């Protein structure tokens, strides 16, 4: 019986030592990652070493490009409070010749707050933007499907493909 207990103790100690070694290789608690290695998968069993993949030291990680953002405030001059069922719609469109269809690049719709200015932030898909194209921002406030306020002309945005922020968009009463 004593021989079995001692062998269990030694096997438990060996498993703990192997787990501590694996943690030391994978950068886990009590250890630090080896220089120039990146863990790719955790150990699947106690005592199994983590799989590491060598990487070049000092290799810059590619940073994701931020999405082009159009942000600002929508306001109107009338001294009225918006009804609780009002909806705000903001769209970035590709501008073309007059009368030509204007494809929507990005769109945002949300419940309007009761007072102005109404802040908005709209992220655009970079793949939808064409170099050299002109873009504009349209905004409207509607109630029960009827547009109450809207921009007269689209406000130019994303000039040169750069994000635009801090816009002040005036919407006028439509009726």
């Amino acid at each position: 019986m004593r021989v079995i207990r001692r062998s269990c103790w030694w096997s438990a100690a060996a498993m703990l030592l192997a787990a501590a070694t694996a943690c030391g290789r994978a950068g886990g608690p009590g250890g630090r990652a080896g220089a120039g290695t990146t863990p790719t998968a955790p150990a699947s069993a106690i005592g199994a070493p983590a799989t590491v993949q060598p990487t070049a030291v000092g290799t810059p990680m590619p940073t994701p490009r931020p999405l082009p953002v159009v942000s600002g405030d929508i306001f109107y001059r009338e001294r009225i409070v918006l009804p609780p069922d009002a909806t705000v719609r903001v769209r970035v469109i590709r501008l073309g010749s007059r009368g030509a269809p204007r494809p929507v690049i990005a769109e945002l719709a949300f419940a309007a707050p009761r007072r102005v200015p109404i802040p908005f932030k709209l992220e655009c898909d970079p793949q939808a933007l064409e170099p050299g194209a002109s873009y504009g921002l349209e905004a409207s406030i509607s109630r029960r499907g009827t547009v109450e306020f809207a921009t007269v002309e689209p406000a130019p945005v994303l000039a040169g493909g750069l994000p635009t922020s801090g816009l002040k968009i005036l919407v006028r009463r439509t009726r």
Side-chain angles (χ1 to χ4, degrees):
M1 197 54 105
R2 284 184 162 234
V3 175
I4 295 174
R5 282 188 190 160
R6 283 185 187 155
S7 67
C8 289
W9 186 85
W10 280 107
S11 64
M15 290 174 77
L16 285 173
L17 182 60
T21 305
C23 286
R25 282 191 216 136
R32 66 187 249 291
T37 61
T38 306
T40 58
S44 60
I46 296 177
T51 306
V52 292
Q53 188 176 43
T55 58
V57 177
T59 303
M61 296 298 291
T63 55
R65 281 184 60 194
L67 294 176
V69 175
V70 178
S71 64
D73 295 315
I74 299 168
F75 68 99
Y76 51 84
R77 292 195 176 134
E78 289 78 5
R79 298 185 133 223
I80 60 172
V81 177
L82 291 173
D85 60 343
T87 303
V88 176
R89 183 174 309 276
V90 183
R91 303 182 333 164
V92 173
I93 58 170
R94 184 174 304 123
L95 301 175
S97 59
R98 290 208 180 262
R102 296 178 169 178
V104 176
I105 304 302
E107 186 170 17
L108 174 68
F110 56 94
R114 303 286 311 261
R115 298 180 187 265
V116 292
I118 302 168
F120 69 91
K121 181 178 179 181
L122 184 60
E123 294 179 343
C124 301
D125 180 18
Q127 276 80 27
L129 301 175
E130 295 178 4
S134 298
Y135 298 95
L137 182 120
E138 293 179 332
S140 64
I141 302 172
S142 59
R143 180 175 180 224
R144 296 185 194 144
T146 305
V147 177
E148 301 281 332
F149 295 91
T151 51
V152 177
E153 288 289 324
V157 294
L158 300 171
L162 300 174
T164 305
S165 62
L167 295 172
K168 301 295 183 201
I169 304 298
L170 174 65
V171 290
R172 298 188 187 259
R173 197 178 262 296
T174 57
R175 48 183 183 107

